[in-house]
Amino acid sequence: MAIPSNLVKIVDLDKHVGKEIVIAGWIWQIRKQGKLIFIEMFDGSTYKTLQLTVKKNVLESPDFSDVAGLYRGASLFAKGELKEDKRAKYGFELLVKTIEILHPSAEEFDQLVPPDAGADTKLSKRHIVIRGPRTSSILRLRAKVLQYSREFFNSRGAVEVTPPTIVEAQAEGGAELFEIQYFNRKAYLTQSSQLYLETAIFSLRDVFCILPSYRAEKSRTRRHLTEYTHVEGEYAFMDFEGLLDYLEDYIIYVLKKVKENDKELLDLFGRNLEIPTKPFPRVTYKEALEILKEKGIEIEYGEDISDAPERTLVEHFGVPIILCHFPTKMKPFYHKINEKNPEVTNSADFIFPGLGEIIGSGERETDIESMLERMKSMDPPLNPDDYYWYMDLRKYGSVPHSGFGLGLERFVQWILGLDHIREATLYPRMLNRISP
Ligand code: 4AD
C-alpha cells in the first residue's frame, strides 16, 4: 500500500486550513447518524483528535456503508477539505472525500477496556490503553522531561555514558536486588549506575546516564516500580553544597521548560505548576524527627522515615524540601561522613509535596578505611573484592565528588499529579505485573 507523500499531522493542522489534505491515523470515536458519520481521528502527533465529517453525498469512495461498518481502532487515510469549525472538539473539521481503510478493527474493541475497567484490566490491556489521548500525553510529557534533562546536563558540560545494567556488585541494598543467572555464575540487575558513574568521572569529569534500574520491591505502593528509568549524575570536584545547588538548578530548569513549552499538556491534567525557588528548605534528618514528633509521629533515631511521615513532613513546608544529613548507620558505605559530625553523612533526599522522595543524592566518601569498615558492618557484609575496581578509585587519585539519582517516573508523576506511578511509563513492571 502506497503511503501518500503529502500526509499532514494533526499537530500541524493550523497551517493547512482551507486546503485539501490527507491525514493518517486511527478511529478514536465513531458516531453514525443516518447519512452522516462523525469520526474522531487520533494520529499520535498530539493528544488532540480531528473531527472527520463523512457525508454520504460528499464521500467519493469507498461506499458509505463500508465506512459505516468501521469500528473504533480502525486505521485509515482520509482525504478532504480542512475547515475551521468552532463546534468541533479541537476547532477543526475534515469534510471527507475519500477514505482508504488500512486495517479494520473489531466491534469488541470497545469492550477491551470498558469505561469502568479496573486497574488490572487496564494494565493487561495497556497496549490498547496507550492508544488514547491521555496516555499518549503522559508519554509525550515524559519524553519532554528526558529532553530537558539532557539539555540541562549537556549545557553544564556533563557527558552522557551508558554503564552496563547487568552487574556483579550491588549498589544499594540486599533485599531489593534481582539476582540472575549469568552463564555459570550469579549476577544482578543494577539498582543504580552510580558506582560506574563514579569511575567515569576520572575519564570525563562530569557524567550522567539515563538507564533502567531494578528494585525487587515487594511493596505495592503508588510510587514503586520494579524497573524504572534512573536519571543519574556524578560530578568531580563538587562538594555537598555544590551538589544541592546544581540539583536545585536542574529541577527548576526542567519545571520552567515544561511550564513554558508544555502548558497544554499541563492544562489537560489540571496542573498549575508552581516553580520552586532557590534555596529549597533544607531539613536535617534530626530536625525532621522533631517536626514529626510535634505532629504526633514518633520515629526512633536511625529508623527510616517511611512514605506517610515523609509526606506529612513535606506538607509542613508545602514546597519541595531537601531532607539531609542522614545518620551514617542508615546509609550505604559510599556516602561521605560529615567532617564536623561523624554521626551523619553528607546525603540528601529531595522530597516533593504529595509524592515523597524523587531524588537520592550525596557527596561520596573518599576515605577507603571508612568505606571498608562500613562494608564489613553491613548485613550481610559486602565483600570488598567484589568492588576492587571501586576501591581503586580511592587508591589512585581520588577527588571530592558528588552525585545523584532521580526516578524519572516519579518526577513525571509529580509534574502531572498522577495518582499512580504505573501511568508514567510505557509498560510498568510491578510485583505482579510483567505483561505486556
Ligand atoms: O535513593 P535511591 O535508592 O538512590 C540511589 O540509587 C543512588 N545510588 C543514586 C545516585 O546517587 N546515583 O534512588 C534514587 C531515586 C529515588 O529518589 C527515586 O526517585 C527513584 O530513584 N526510585 C524509584 N523509582 C521508582 N520505583 C522504585 N522502586 C524506586 N526506587 C528508587
Side-chain angles (χ1 to χ4, degrees), residues 7 66 135 185 204 212 234 250 259 262 285 303 327 346 352 366 387:
L7 283 183
D66 290 344
T135 309
R185 57 190 296 189
L204 298 161
E234 205 65 34
Y250 165 48
K259 196 158 180 161
D262 308 300
Y285 170 83
E303 292 281 300
N346 285 352
F352 279 54
T366 49
Y387 297 82

Side-chain angles (χ1 to χ4, degrees), residues 236-247:
F237 311 107
M238 187 184 271
D239 62 12
F240 190 54
E241 271 308 313
L243 173 74
L244 301 187
D245 187 60
Y246 184 96
L247 291 176

Side-chain angles (χ1 to χ4, degrees), residues 172 192 194 215 217 225 228 232 357-358 364 404 407:
E172 292 305 307
S192 161
Q194 178 195 324
R215 306 278 168 114
E217 298 279 359
L225 295 167
Y228 70 96
E232 294 181 275
E357 184 195 326
I358 288 187
R364 310 310 184 193
F404 79 98

Side-chain angles (χ1 to χ4, degrees), residues 311-375:
R311 279 199 294 275
T312 308
L313 178 68
V314 70
E315 270 5 298
H316 176 79
F317 293 89
V319 290
I321 62 168
I322 302 177
L323 183 56
C324 54
H325 297 308
F326 289 88
T328 307
K329 274 184 265 162
M330 283 177 73
K331 284 286 176 185
F333 65 95
Y334 56 70
H335 281 283
K336 187 173 179 65
I337 294 181
N338 186 272
E339 277 172 10
K340 290 195 192 119
N341 176 7
E343 277 238 315
V344 302
T345 48
N346 285 352
S347 49
D349 288 353
F350 283 54
I351 316 287
F352 279 54
L355 184 65
E357 184 195 326
I358 288 187
I359 296 182
S361 70
E363 187 171 348
R364 310 310 184 193
E365 187 56 89
T366 49
D367 181 295
I368 195 165
E369 293 309 322
S370 157
M371 283 168 58
L372 285 170
E373 206 176 290
R374 283 145 80 194
M375 288 169 97

